[in-house]
């Protein structure tokens, strides 16, 4: 089992060993566990003396953002970005938090990008109680996700401005990726907003008014991101349909070119096939000028057919060439 702990008193944070964290006598202790092993369950149960359902919530395999009141304490599950390898269908890593007056325990399986920023705040003395630490996690996670969501929207803006038949396959792959990421982010941002709003309204003197205000601000930011990823998902669907239409038009144009070529050569094929038969009775078959006449007739038929398509504007506008 890996992790760290800090004892915090009068705005000063000092690292302590995990084994000594809860008995150090500090006004506020933060314990962070980074593990998937059963040792975490044993520590939470035997050392932290947490209830079995709290231990199960902190170490569950499958999680989604939520907030629950547990007596005088609270359980919070949030999702944030991670730099570690993760399943493409579950793009955000979870952090599970149990908080009470004077104590906070957090558990992760994948290291969050926002964790280092929170640790820096603790070391700087900006964190004095569990409410401050919960606020720091909520703020840092939402601030870290905000530019990622904005980048998805910016890429889609560029895609909408660069729709081109020459880049259909490249753009469709990109739009599919953006749509998939937007769906994954939306799965967690919407319930994360609800969890933060619920946390901001929980009763308890260990959450100050300023903490509740900052949590409400983080919830509002999560709500805005949820609305943005929903808009990105819908826009990606529209762009995908536009690319599909472009692809269909491209196929129609190519099919029209093939059809025109076939119609030009169809009478020529019939004529040459007719005079290619090795039978008696073909007109002028034994005349010395017959070959030149047939060639000229073929040229005239081809030119006439082509002129017909040009005059009716099948060639040019219809094929996408003009």
């Amino acid at each position: 089992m890996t992790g760290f702990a800090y004892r915090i008193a009068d705005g000063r944070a000092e690292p302590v060993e995990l084994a000594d964290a809860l008995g150090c006598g500090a006004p506020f202790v933060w314990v962070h566990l980074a593990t998937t092993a059963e040792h975490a369950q044993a520590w939470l149960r035997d050392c932290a003396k947490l209830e079995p359902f709290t231990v199960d919530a902190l170490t569950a395999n499958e999680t989604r953002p939520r907030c629950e009141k547990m007596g005088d304490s609270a359980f919070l599950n949030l999702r944030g970005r991670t730099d570690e390898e993760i399943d493409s269908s579950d793009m955000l890593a979870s952090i599970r938090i149990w908080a009470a007056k004077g104590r906070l325990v957090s558990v992760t399986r994948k290291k969050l990008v926002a964790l280092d920023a929170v640790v820096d705040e603790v070391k700087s003395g900006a964190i004095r109680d569990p409410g401050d630490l919960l606020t720091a996690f909520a703020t840092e996670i939402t601030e870290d996700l905000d530019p990622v969501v904005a980048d998805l929207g910016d890429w889609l803006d560029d895609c909408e401005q660069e729709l081109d038949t020459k880049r259909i396959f490249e753009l469709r792959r990109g739009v599919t990726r953006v749509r998939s990421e937007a769906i994954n982010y939306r799965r967690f941002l919407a319930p994360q907003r609800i969890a933060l709003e619920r946390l901001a309204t929980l009763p308890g003197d260990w959450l100050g008014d300023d903490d509740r205000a900052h949590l409400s601000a983080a919830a509002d930011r999560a709500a805005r991101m949820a609305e943005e990823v929903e808009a990105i998902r819908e826009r990606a669907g529209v762009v995908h349909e536009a690319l599909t239409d472009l692809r269909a038009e491209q196929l129609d144009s190519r099919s029209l070119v093939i059809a025109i070529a076939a119609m030009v050569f169809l009478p020529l094929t019939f004529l040459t096939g007719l005079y290619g038969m090795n039978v008696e009775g073909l007109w002028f078959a034994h005349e010395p000028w017959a070959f030149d006449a047939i060639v000229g007739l073929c040229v005239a038929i081809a030119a006439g057919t082509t002129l017909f398509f040009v005059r009716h504007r099948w060639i040019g506008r219809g094929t996408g060439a003009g």
Side-chain angles (χ1 to χ4, degrees):
M1 183 176 66
T2 60
F4 55 81
Y6 285 92
R7 65 184 304 274
I8 301 172
D10 299 325
R12 296 178 56 188
E14 298 178 2
V16 294
E17 295 295 329
L18 285 174
D20 305 326
L22 299 181
C24 65
F28 174 40
V29 175
W30 173 30
V31 177
H32 179 77
L33 305 178
T35 181
T36 59
E38 294 182 359
H39 299 89
Q41 292 185 342
W43 190 92
L44 293 168
R45 182 179 60 251
D46 301 333
C47 298
K49 306 297 183 182
L50 298 181
E51 297 292 336
F53 57 84
T54 304
V55 175
D56 292 340
L58 288 170
T59 57
N61 290 327
E62 299 294 333
T63 62
R64 67 189 302 271
R66 65 187 180 98
C67 177
E68 299 291 341
K69 185 178 183 300
M70 297 180 173
D72 295 332
S73 61
F75 171 79
L76 178 67
N77 183 20
L78 298 176
R79 287 285 185 135
R81 286 197 319 117
T82 178
D83 288 335
E84 298 182 24
E85 185 178 353
I86 199 166
D87 189 354
S88 59
S89 63
D90 193 0
M91 300 175 62
L92 298 178
S94 65
I95 180 167
R96 307 94 183 272
I97 302 172
W98 174 84
K101 187 173 183 178
R103 287 198 294 172
L104 188 145
V105 178
S106 56
V107 180
T108 58
R109 293 174 178 267
K110 303 284 186 180
K111 182 182 177 182
L112 296 183
V113 174
L115 182 61
D116 289 337
V118 174
V119 172
D120 290 340
E121 288 191 44
V122 171
K123 292 179 179 178
S124 69
I127 305 299
R128 293 176 174 269
D129 53 45
D132 291 341
L133 190 54
L134 285 171
T135 299
F137 270 117
T139 302
E140 294 296 338
I141 287 174
T142 52
E143 286 184 354
D144 179 61
L145 279 172
D146 202 0
V148 177
V149 173
D151 287 343
L152 291 179
D154 291 342
W155 190 94
L156 203 56
D157 290 339
D158 295 338
C159 179
E160 289 174 337
Q161 296 175 2
E162 298 175 3
L163 291 179
D164 188 356
T165 55
K166 296 179 180 179
R167 300 182 59 202
I168 287 178
F169 294 107
E170 175 190 350
L171 293 176
R172 285 183 67 177
R173 285 194 296 268
V175 169
T176 301
R177 176 188 61 82
V178 168
R179 192 177 187 183
S180 176
E181 290 185 13
I183 291 172
N184 274 287
Y185 288 140
R186 181 180 177 276
R187 285 176 54 204
F188 300 115
L189 285 174
Q192 189 144 300
R193 171 187 64 82
I194 297 173
L196 292 174
E197 288 177 346
R198 179 176 175 80
L199 178 63
T201 59
L202 286 183
D205 57 358
W206 53 274
L207 273 177
D209 293 338
D210 59 334
D211 298 327
R212 298 180 191 276
H214 284 101
L215 288 171
S216 296
D220 182 70
R221 197 167 188 174
R224 181 181 58 79
M225 286 191 291
E227 292 171 357
E228 188 170 350
V229 295
E230 176 63 18
I232 289 172
R233 185 182 70 85
E234 294 178 356
R235 286 173 55 203
V238 173
V239 173
H240 190 275
E241 290 178 2
L243 290 169
T244 301
D245 291 342
L246 280 177
R247 178 58 177 162
E249 290 178 5
Q250 187 182 57
L251 291 175
D252 288 344
S253 297
R254 293 176 178 176
S255 299
L256 182 58
V257 171
I258 295 173
I260 291 174
M263 293 182 70
V264 169
F265 285 96
L266 182 61
L268 307 184
T269 303
F270 170 75
L271 188 60
T272 55
L274 179 64
Y275 274 85
M277 293 187 298
N278 188 20
V279 295
E280 292 291 338
L282 292 176
W283 297 344
F284 314 115
H286 301 289
E287 298 295 335
W289 46 266
F291 176 77
D292 295 333
I294 291 176
V295 171
L297 182 59
C298 288
V299 171
I301 292 174
T305 307
T306 304
L307 181 61
F308 172 84
F309 289 125
V310 170
R311 291 188 63 180
H312 287 75
R313 304 184 68 180
W314 283 37
I315 297 178
R317 183 185 64 177
T319 60

